[in-house]
Amino acid sequence: MTQRSIIPFGPQHPVLPEPIHLDLVVEDETVVEAIPSIGFVHRGLESLVAKKDFQEFVYVAERICGICSFIHGMTYCHGVEQIMEIEVPPRAQYLRTIWSELSRIHSHLLWLGLTADAFGFESLFMHSWRLREKVLDIIEATTGGRVIFGSCKVGGVRRDIENAALRTIAATLQDYAKEYREIGGVFLEDLTVKRRLCGVGVLSGEDALQLGAVGPMLRASGVAQDMRLLKYAAYGEIDFSPVTAAEGDSYARCSVRVREIFQSVGIIRQCAEKIPDGAIETKVAGLPDGEFYARTEQPRGEVIYYVKANGTKNLERLRVRTPTFANIPAMLKVMPGCQLADVPVLVLTIDPCISCTER
Amino acid sequence: MIEPQDLRETTLERLIGEVQEFRDAGYRLVQIGATRTEGFEINYSFDRDLKFVNLKIKIADNSVEIPSISGVYWNAFLYENEIHDLFGLKIRNIKIDYRGTFYKVAKPAAFAEKPAAPAARKRAAKPAAGTEVSET
C-alpha cells in the first residue's frame, strides 16, 4: 500500500542560497502536492519610499536584488520619469540597454552554474561561473561595481562609456560568445544533462499564461512574451525577437536561457554600433505627481513597479511585483507527478530570487 | 516609448464579474497590489499580448470584506495572502489561505498604517524647546 508522507524542503537547502520552504506531499518517491512558504526574510523596502527622497530611492531600488540590481533601479527610474514626463537622452537609453543586457548575461550564467551544481555536474558549474567573471569584469570596468552598479538615476545615467570602449566591449563579447558556445553546447547536447532535464516539470503554454508565469518560464512553454517588446530604453531601435521553446519542460527553460545569452551579446553589439553621441542625463525639475505602472524584462521575467506620487519629494506608494513571485504558482503546478530527486532542479528552473521576492 | 495605461475603477459588487470577463477574454493576471490612502485602494492588473489593463477598487477601511478572485485566477492566492498580511485587509474565500502566516513579519499589517506627511514626521522627530536629549 502506498504511504503518503510530508517532507519539508528548505528553507535551508544545498541548492537554495536563499530561504524558501516547500511542504512536499509524497507517495513513495512521487510528489503529489507542494505547499510553499515564503516570507522568512521580508524586508518591507517598499515602505521606505515614504521616508526617502524620490531621487535617493534609486539606491534602495537597486538593492532589492543583488543580481538584477541595475534593472530594478532602471525600472524605478522609468516609472518616475513617465510621471514627471522627463525625456531621457537617447545615449542614456542605449547605455541603460547595454547594462541591462550585461545583467542578463551574468544572471543567466549564474543560473546555469547553479543548475549544473544541482544536477551534480561540478565542472560545468565552475566553467559557467568562470565565464560569468569575465562579464562582471566588464561591468566593474564600466560602472565601478560588480553587482550594485549605482549608474542609473532619474533622468538618465551617472556614467558614460566612451565609444571606443563600447566597440572594444562588443568585440570582446563576440570572442566571449565563441568560448561560451562550448559551455552552452554541453547544456544543450550532453546526455547526462538531458537525462536530468528532458520531460521533467512540463508546463503547457495555456497553463503558463493562466498561472501568470513570466520570463523564460513562460517563453519555454511556447509563449513569445517579452517586456522588451514594449520598447522601453533603446529596445525600440534594436532588432530582436523573443527566444522561445515549445516543450515546456526543464530542458526548454534551460535552452531559452542558454540562447538568450547569445541574444544579449547581439543586442550589445547593435547598441555599440547605433549609440548616438550626446548628453547622458536630463536635469530633473519639480516633484512627481501621478501614478504609473512601469514594466521591464529582468533576466527572470517581467518586473512591475507601481509608482504613485502626490506632489511631494516622498512617493505615496511603491509596489514591486517581482518575476519570482509571479512564477511560484507555475512551479507548484509542475511539481505533482515528479520524483523527489527532481524537486531541486524544478525549483531552480524558475530561477528563484528570494531577495527580490522578499523586497 | 510610453506604455499606454488603461486604469479603470470598479466596485466590490462588480469585481468578480469583471475579473471573470478578463479571464474569459484570455488575459493573464499580472499582479494584485494594495495602497494605503485615506482608505485603501486595491489594484488588479491584467495583460494580454502586452495590452495592460488595471482595475481598481476603493474601500473605506479594513473592516470591509473583499471577495477573493482566486476562484477565477488560482494564482491570486499569493497576492491576496500578501495583502492580508501586510495591510490587514480581510479577503474571503482565498483558495489557499495562510491565515496570517504567509509573511513572517515582526509587526502584523505593518503597511496598514497611513504614513505621516514629511512635515509631520520632522515635527515629531524634533524635540520640543527645553527638552533634554540624552545621548546613548
Side-chain angles (χ1 to χ4, degrees), chain A residues 47-106:
Chain A
S47 63
L48 269 181
V49 286
K51 296 175 181 168
K52 296 278 181 196
D53 180 289
F54 76 96
Q55 295 197 62
E56 288 174 1
F57 192 82
V58 185
Y59 297 113
V60 180
E62 276 206 305
R63 281 157 178 79
I64 285 178
C65 179
I67 304 300
C68 40
S69 58
F70 178 80
I71 304 179
H72 271 291
M74 183 186 71
T75 313
Y76 170 78
C77 291
H78 179 57
V80 174
E81 286 155 4
Q82 295 307 323
I83 291 176
M84 299 182 75
E85 297 179 356
I86 295 171
E87 198 163 323
V88 177
R91 186 170 182 86
Q93 299 284 29
Y94 272 85
L95 290 168
R96 285 180 176 186
T97 307
I98 290 167
W99 279 315
S100 295
E101 293 310 313
L102 287 169
S103 300
R104 196 175 317 281
I105 296 172
H106 97 75

Side-chain angles (χ1 to χ4, degrees), chain A residues 36 38-39 50 82 210-211 214 225 231 291 293 295 302 304 308 314 317 319 321 325 329 359, chain B residues 1-3 5 23 28 30-32 34 41 43 47 54 56 75 82 98 102-104 118 121:
Chain A
I38 60 169
Q82 295 307 323
Q210 284 305 324
L211 292 168
V214 295
Q225 185 159 287
K231 301 179 180 175
E291 59 183 331
Y293 285 88
R295 300 199 290 168
E302 169 199 51
I304 304 227
K308 185 171 184 179
N314 301 111
R317 171 77 167 127
R319 151 91 175 136
R321 203 281 276 125
F325 198 90
R359 70 236 166 262
Chain B
M1 183 185 145
I2 301 174
E3 184 184 9
Q5 305 271 295
R23 160 97 197 210
R28 161 176 72 94
V30 173
Q31 68 98 35
I32 310 173
E41 290 177 2
N43 290 288
D47 171 281
N54 191 75
K56 180 182 289 187
N75 55 325
E82 179 183 55
Y98 287 78
F102 187 62
Y103 282 137
K104 286 83 185 159
R121 264 206 315 277

Side-chain angles (χ1 to χ4, degrees), chain A residues 202-213 217-218 221 223 329-330 333-334, chain B residues 23 28 74-75:
Chain A
V202 177
L203 182 70
S204 70
E206 190 182 347
D207 281 347
L209 274 172
Q210 284 305 324
L211 292 168
M217 189 84 180
L218 180 61
S221 296
V223 182
K333 171 77 179 175
V334 299
Chain B
R23 160 97 197 210
R28 161 176 72 94
W74 181 73
N75 55 325

Side-chain angles (χ1 to χ4, degrees), chain B residues 6 10-11 16 52 59 66 78 82 88 93-94 97 105 108 116 136:
Chain B
D6 187 349
T10 188
T11 60
I16 297 292
F52 183 79
I59 56 172
I66 304 159
L78 282 179
E82 179 183 55
N93 299 331
I94 307 178
D97 192 344
V105 286
T136 54

Side-chain angles (χ1 to χ4, degrees), chain A residues 22-285:
Chain A
L22 295 174
D23 279 320
L24 299 171
V25 183
V26 295
E27 285 179 357
D28 294 335
E29 289 282 314
T30 307
V31 176
V32 179
E33 192 182 2
I35 302 157
S37 295
I38 60 169
F40 295 96
V41 287
H42 189 265
R43 294 169 288 168
L45 290 178
E46 292 171 351
S47 63
L48 269 181
V49 286
K51 296 175 181 168
K52 296 278 181 196
D53 180 289
F54 76 96
Q55 295 197 62
E56 288 174 1
F57 192 82
V58 185
Y59 297 113
V60 180
E62 276 206 305
R63 281 157 178 79
I64 285 178
C65 179
I67 304 300
C68 40
S69 58
F70 178 80
I71 304 179
H72 271 291
M74 183 186 71
T75 313
Y76 170 78
C77 291
H78 179 57
V80 174
E81 286 155 4
Q82 295 307 323
I83 291 176
M84 299 182 75
E85 297 179 356
I86 295 171
E87 198 163 323
V88 177
R91 186 170 182 86
Q93 299 284 29
Y94 272 85
L95 290 168
R96 285 180 176 186
T97 307
I98 290 167
W99 279 315
S100 295
E101 293 310 313
L102 287 169
S103 300
R104 196 175 317 281
I105 296 172
H106 97 75
S107 175
H108 281 354
L109 281 165
L110 178 99
W111 179 85
L112 288 168
L114 289 174
T115 304
D117 185 48
F119 55 60
F121 203 148
E122 289 297 316
S123 56
L124 192 55
F125 155 68
M126 290 175 193
H127 280 295
S128 301
W129 279 33
R130 175 178 60 81
L131 287 178
R132 178 173 174 259
E133 280 300 308
K134 295 187 178 185
V135 180
L136 292 179
D137 287 344
I138 296 174
I139 292 170
E140 189 175 7
T142 53
T143 68
R146 284 165 59 83
V147 287
I148 304 291
F149 301 4
S151 53
C152 204
K153 65 184 292 191
V154 177
V157 292
R158 293 177 195 282
R159 291 164 180 268
D160 201 351
I161 310 175
E162 287 179 5
N163 288 343
L166 281 173
R167 286 192 292 274
T168 306
I169 290 169
T172 306
L173 286 174
Q174 288 300 329
D175 294 340
Y176 176 87
K178 286 178 198 156
E179 198 178 353
Y180 166 69
R181 195 173 298 279
E182 197 179 344
I183 304 294
V186 177
F187 278 100
L188 297 180
E189 304 297 336
D190 187 85
L191 182 65
T192 55
V193 176
K194 283 186 169 179
R195 287 284 290 268
R196 290 304 307 271
L197 300 181
C198 285
V200 176
V202 177
L203 182 70
S204 70
E206 190 182 347
D207 281 347
L209 274 172
Q210 284 305 324
L211 292 168
V214 295
M217 189 84 180
L218 180 61
R219 291 193 286 278
S221 296
V223 182
Q225 185 159 287
D226 189 322
M227 290 306 126
R228 290 176 289 179
L229 296 174
L230 288 171
K231 301 179 180 175
Y232 64 89
Y235 288 107
E237 294 162 37
I238 301 295
D239 181 27
F240 78 101
S241 52
V243 175
T244 60
E247 299 82 5
D249 58 2
S250 297
Y251 177 80
R253 296 191 271 279
C254 179
S255 157
V256 166
R257 292 188 179 101
V258 166
R259 289 180 287 140
E260 280 188 351
I261 290 177
F262 290 115
Q263 183 189 52
S264 293
V265 170
I267 291 174
I268 293 170
R269 180 184 48 75
Q270 289 186 56
C271 286
E273 288 167 1
K274 294 181 180 177
I275 189 168
D277 290 328
I280 59 166
E281 63 173 306
T282 301
K283 194 168 168 55
V284 177

